[in-house]
Amino acid sequence: MMTRNRQRRLMNTKPIQEVDLISELPDPIIQHIMSSLPYKDAARMSILSKRFASAWTSSPTIIFDETLNMGSCLELTGKQRLNSFLTYVGEFLSRRRRLDVSLEKFSFCFCLNNSSDQQSNGGIENAISYAIENNVKELELDVVGKRFKLMAHYSLPMKVLSAHSIIVLSLKGFMLEPPQNLALDFPSIKELRLEKCKGMQKFSVSSQSLKIVVLEFCQGLEKVEIDAPNLESFSFGGGANSSCSVDVTACMSLEYLSLKNAEITDEWIKHEIPKFIRLEVFKVGRCRLLKNFHVSNANLKTLEISDCSNLQKIEIYSRSLNTFVYGGQLMPSRVFIYSPSFHAKISLSVDDPLPHDWFSSLRDFLSCFDHCKELEIACSIEMALIFPIDSRDSLLPPLYDLKYLKVVGKFPAKSEDLVDLVDGLLWFSHCLAVLSFVSGNKEKSLKFEYDIAVAIDEDLQCCYSMPIKCWRHSLKKVTMENFDDRENTILQRFFSQKAIRLEAISREDNGSADALAEEGVSQDYGSVITGNIEDLGAAIMANFLDDSEIY
């Protein structure tokens, strides 16, 4: 029963009034909140109150994006869609012109279906003019949108390149008419991005303020010259048939340099890269002229080489190198990396069927990475990593000192393929500490412990005549992480039969250890459990599978 005093208190309680605390915030905070929301959510928020509508209209950041269906153009296509979008842009800017507000960022994204669209409507030119007249600091103009294929270019108003207020300039899908040599002198711009633009034969930039330059897929570009002593990052990506030369030798503050489909030579890399004393990341890709890649830079931390089809030799001198990335066809075993500790990431393109000399070439190539701290291998055909058993007798393992090996790719579905892959990878390095498999966003791993002090004179005959004994002689413990039950059973069975000094197998899922059992071997599953393996010899033999189920 409710007491009389409690009833009196409830009757005298006043209803709680709802308070709109967001509307009480200063305009800059409201504008910051709205700018952090997706466009549709910010637009909905703007119609909730006059305060929000005012903050929306007077925001220092303006983003127009046709791909977000602004201007009720969802059901429209082609020229009608563009006209509807530009009408919305014009009405918005008309309301804003009556306000005396600053403009920090102006982003304008629309898609042209053909070159005639720009001639029939002045809305595009008016929007760009508004941004420049209001001293915009960050200007982004994009006529490509989310489409992969560019349908038409837009003729670039030259006033964009002469606007002194701009600090960040990004142009995508614009052109110069007629094609010309473009020489620019930016007094205040810090970041310049040009993507899928055309009409520039020679592109020259001189600036004391530039920090970042990105040139991607600019059609017809033949030469690039950058004179920017404070430039920190430069990226160039030419088209598949690009023959553009690049000169950034005046940019002595470079920390990041990426060159793809560029006309650079072995001599340029050998003599110019050492001069960039601040360079930390250097990437080259699809550079056809490179044959003998020689780079020496004490500060270099990351080096990536991809799809340089004529490359025959790689030589790297850098005491600071911590990541080396190689992608492409299997190359001759002439890779020399002089660095005390680095991670190597190798992505190999493989032909099917495999070339007759594939495995001998792979062995020689991988031996170049024996001294790396960790090796990651991605292969388009995962079974191309399994050395045939009859070939192992005549070859030394390529990765004798490697402790950490990671394989990226599709995980084998068949039991015999899983066992073959693990056995083949353990042949790479006889004393791996961790063997990992990454497929998608899931990683599975095997952790190993060894007893390398044991006598092996009377051991298995599998590598009796080899100077380096295989893992079977000294493997003491295996820990399996994130494998499913079927895979656990297969691997337990495999290790129990092949490792003669195995003492324990344990299982860890999601970081928590789970002992499989106290001791013994399951006759149904052949699983090895924590315990003394020597005492389980009879059980193992009784449960021994036919060799055809293992290999």
Side-chain angles (χ1 to χ4, degrees), residues 87-323:
T87 298
Y88 166 79
V89 171
E91 292 174 352
F92 183 94
L93 294 180
S94 179
R95 294 192 299 270
R96 187 181 170 94
R97 288 182 189 276
R98 296 191 292 266
L99 305 174
D100 184 17
V101 292
S102 61
L103 185 59
E104 294 289 328
K105 178 180 179 179
F106 187 86
S107 178
F108 192 25
C109 176
F110 58 96
C111 298
L112 288 180
N113 293 305
N114 55 69
S115 57
S116 63
D117 289 345
Q118 61 179 310
Q119 301 172 358
S120 60
N121 197 316
I124 299 174
E125 186 79 16
N126 292 336
I128 296 175
S129 297
Y130 172 85
I132 296 175
E133 291 168 2
N134 285 270
N135 299 317
V136 65
K137 295 181 180 178
E138 182 176 349
L139 180 61
E140 178 184 0
L141 304 176
D142 178 0
V143 302
V144 179
K146 298 179 180 179
R147 297 181 301 186
F148 178 78
K149 184 178 181 181
L150 177 61
M151 303 299 293
H153 289 80
Y154 186 85
S155 184
L156 178 66
M158 295 306 293
K159 56 187 175 185
V160 172
L161 301 176
S162 59
H164 293 286
S165 64
I166 296 178
I167 296 177
V168 177
L169 176 61
S170 177
L171 303 176
K172 187 175 181 180
F174 285 80
M175 66 179 177
L176 294 179
E177 291 185 316
Q180 56 192 275
N181 295 334
L182 186 63
L184 302 175
D185 185 1
F186 291 121
S188 58
I189 194 168
K190 293 183 178 180
E191 184 174 337
L192 175 64
R193 297 177 181 270
L194 304 179
E195 183 176 350
K196 296 183 179 180
C197 296
K198 72 174 186 178
M200 300 177 293
Q201 296 173 330
K202 179 180 178 181
F203 181 75
S204 303
V205 175
S206 177
S207 174
Q208 296 289 323
S209 59
L210 261 179
K211 299 288 186 182
I212 300 173
V213 174
V214 178
L215 302 174
E216 295 284 348
F217 305 110
C218 291
Q219 182 180 341
L221 194 57
E222 299 174 358
K223 187 174 184 179
V224 174
E225 292 181 350
I226 309 293
D227 183 0
N230 296 309
L231 189 69
E232 297 175 355
S233 175
F234 177 77
S235 299
F236 173 85
N241 299 316
S242 173
S243 58
C244 182
S245 62
V246 177
D247 184 2
V248 290
T249 54
C251 308
M252 302 308 296
S253 298
L254 274 177
E255 299 176 4
Y256 178 96
L257 177 60
S258 177
L259 302 172
K260 296 181 180 180
N261 278 320
E263 292 284 300
I264 56 173
T265 64
D266 297 331
E267 292 299 312
W268 187 88
I269 289 179
K270 183 176 182 179
H271 296 292
E272 298 301 333
I273 295 300
K275 298 177 183 179
F276 301 125
I277 59 176
R278 298 183 181 178
L279 189 65
E280 295 186 359
V281 179
F282 182 33
K283 300 180 181 181
V284 292
R286 299 185 294 276
C287 295
R288 298 180 296 272
L289 297 183
L290 295 181
K291 294 182 179 179
N292 296 305
F293 185 94
H294 180 288
V295 63
S296 177
N297 188 304
N299 196 55
L300 194 62
K301 294 180 173 59
T302 299
L303 176 62
E304 295 187 14
I305 303 175
S306 60
D307 299 316
C308 295
S309 55
N310 295 317
L311 202 58
Q312 298 176 3
K313 182 179 180 181
I314 298 175
E315 200 166 358
I316 304 166
Y317 296 84
S318 176
R319 63 173 180 265
S320 302
L321 189 73
N322 55 42
T323 303

Side-chain angles (χ1 to χ4, degrees), residues 341-488:
S341 178
F342 68 97
H343 291 212
K345 299 181 180 181
I346 310 299
S347 180
L348 298 176
S349 300
V350 185
D351 297 326
D352 191 10
L354 297 175
H356 70 280
D357 61 344
W358 167 260
F359 288 106
S360 60
S361 299
L362 178 61
R363 186 263 166 214
D364 293 341
F365 178 70
L366 292 179
S367 65
C368 300
F369 303 96
D370 180 46
H371 62 297
C372 69
K373 185 175 182 180
E374 179 179 330
L375 176 61
E376 178 180 312
I377 304 177
C379 194
S380 55
I381 303 177
E382 67 274 7
M383 305 315 290
L385 299 177
I386 303 176
F387 276 73
I389 296 177
D390 55 359
S391 299
R392 302 176 193 177
D393 294 337
S394 59
L395 295 172
L396 289 176
L399 303 169
Y400 179 78
D401 291 324
L402 185 70
K403 300 301 181 186
Y404 300 93
L405 177 61
K406 181 181 294 186
V407 178
V408 180
K410 185 179 179 181
F411 198 72
K414 297 181 179 180
S415 303
E416 58 270 23
D417 291 343
L418 172 59
V419 170
D420 286 345
L421 181 59
V422 171
D423 187 48
L425 294 174
L426 285 175
W427 177 80
F428 281 2
S429 177
H430 83 298
C431 54
L432 277 176
V434 179
L435 173 58
S436 300
F437 302 91
V438 178
S439 181
N441 59 357
K442 188 170 184 179
E443 181 171 353
K444 306 175 182 182
S445 62
L446 296 167
K447 297 180 180 179
F448 306 104
E449 295 181 18
Y450 303 89
D451 186 357
I452 60 176
V454 297
I456 59 176
D457 292 339
E458 303 300 328
D459 280 355
L460 301 175
Q461 298 297 315
C462 60
C463 48
Y464 181 78
S465 61
M466 302 297 289
I468 300 175
K469 303 304 178 183
C470 69
W471 57 273
R472 294 173 175 84
H473 301 274
S474 54
L475 183 62
K476 182 174 65 173
K477 182 179 179 180
V478 179
T479 302
M480 301 180 293
E481 292 185 357
N482 299 325
F483 291 94
D484 61 34
D485 291 339
R486 182 188 66 86
E487 294 163 349
N488 279 318

